[in-house]
Amino acid sequence: MKNLITRLISSATLVLASTLAVAQTDDMPQIPDEKLEEIKAQKVAYITQKMGFTPDEAQKFWPIYNQYDKELDATRKEMRDFHRGVKKSGTELTEAEATQLIDKELSTRQKELDTRRKYSGEFKKNIGAVRTVKLYQAERDFNKELLKRMRERGGDQRGGGRQGGGQQGAPPPNR
């Protein structure tokens, strides 16, 4: 099972890395919806494996998690759009415009925190506090592994991979 998860993450990072290699702008590239869905499916498999849910637990957990993820995605999109807008506006901001931008960013970050707080309560009710912490750790581990593999693949494709780091191509850590 661990080998399957590793292969799934590897294929997702390959797809993402090739997308990154094509896009040479400072903005994050737009990832096709089908690739995002593929990564989300791999994330579900990873979390399921790490959490060890019973079928009954999974049936109760996943609808809540999917709604949580959907709300966070909307907030993240809002934040990405905000940052793109800031970048396009350049350095010619007035104090009033800059103040509005700061307020907007803080408001969006608060929205993300509120969503996390709301669903933490839901998760604790359904899977307990200890397993909620384990869930957040599984999410972080998945994201770290995904980013690591994206960097490795991206560096390889552009010829600018890390030199002499010894970590490239290393298997994911056992947890």
Side-chain angles (χ1 to χ4, degrees):
M1 180 69 166
K2 189 181 279 190
N3 212 1
L4 174 64
I5 300 294
T6 302
R7 279 190 263 147
L8 288 172
I9 292 171
S10 293
S11 64
T13 55
L14 181 59
V15 167
L16 284 175
S18 64
T19 304
L20 287 172
V22 171
Q24 295 297 317
T25 65
D26 289 338
D27 289 341
M28 281 299 291
Q30 293 296 326
I31 300 170
D33 287 341
E34 63 272 3
K35 300 305 177 196
L36 284 176
E37 290 304 315
E38 202 176 301
I39 292 168
K40 284 185 181 200
Q42 293 166 4
K43 183 178 179 182
V44 166
Y46 185 87
I47 290 172
T48 298
Q49 187 263 334
K50 289 290 184 180
M51 298 297 292
F53 290 130
T54 66
D56 187 46
E57 289 172 328
Q59 188 175 15
K60 292 176 184 174
F61 170 79
W62 285 111
I64 297 167
Y65 185 86
N66 290 338
Q67 185 62 36
Y68 159 77
D69 199 43
K70 182 179 178 182
E71 289 181 31
L72 281 182
D73 278 349
T75 304
R76 288 183 196 118
K77 181 186 180 323
E78 192 177 323
M79 187 63 82
R80 279 190 307 274
D81 292 346
F82 165 77
H83 283 284
R84 285 186 184 113
V86 169
K87 192 171 191 165
K88 287 179 184 174
S89 68
T91 57
E92 303 299 320
L93 293 175
T94 66
E95 283 296 311
E97 290 169 332
T99 298
Q100 285 178 331
L101 290 173
I102 291 167
D103 291 345
K104 174 67 175 165
E105 179 166 6
L106 291 174
S107 170
T108 305
R109 289 186 185 274
Q110 184 63 51
K111 190 174 174 181
E112 180 180 15
L113 179 60
D114 291 344
T115 300
R116 289 180 183 279
R117 197 176 304 265
K118 170 183 155 184
Y119 282 94
S120 284
E122 291 294 316
F123 294 143
K124 287 189 292 188
K125 277 193 271 185
N126 282 279
I127 61 174
V130 171
R131 290 180 87 193
T132 298
V133 169
K134 188 175 178 181
L135 166 67
Y136 292 150
Q137 184 63 50
E139 285 181 314
R140 279 190 302 278
D141 290 348
F142 178 84
N143 291 335
K144 281 172 34 180
E145 187 64 27
L146 191 61
L147 286 172
K148 175 184 165 198
R149 290 175 185 263
M150 282 175 55
R151 284 186 195 114
E152 289 171 357
R153 296 279 198 276
D156 291 345
Q157 289 180 355
R158 286 190 292 257
R162 285 184 277 181
Q163 300 294 321
Q167 287 293 323
Q168 209 157 345
N174 292 332
R175 296 195 197 269

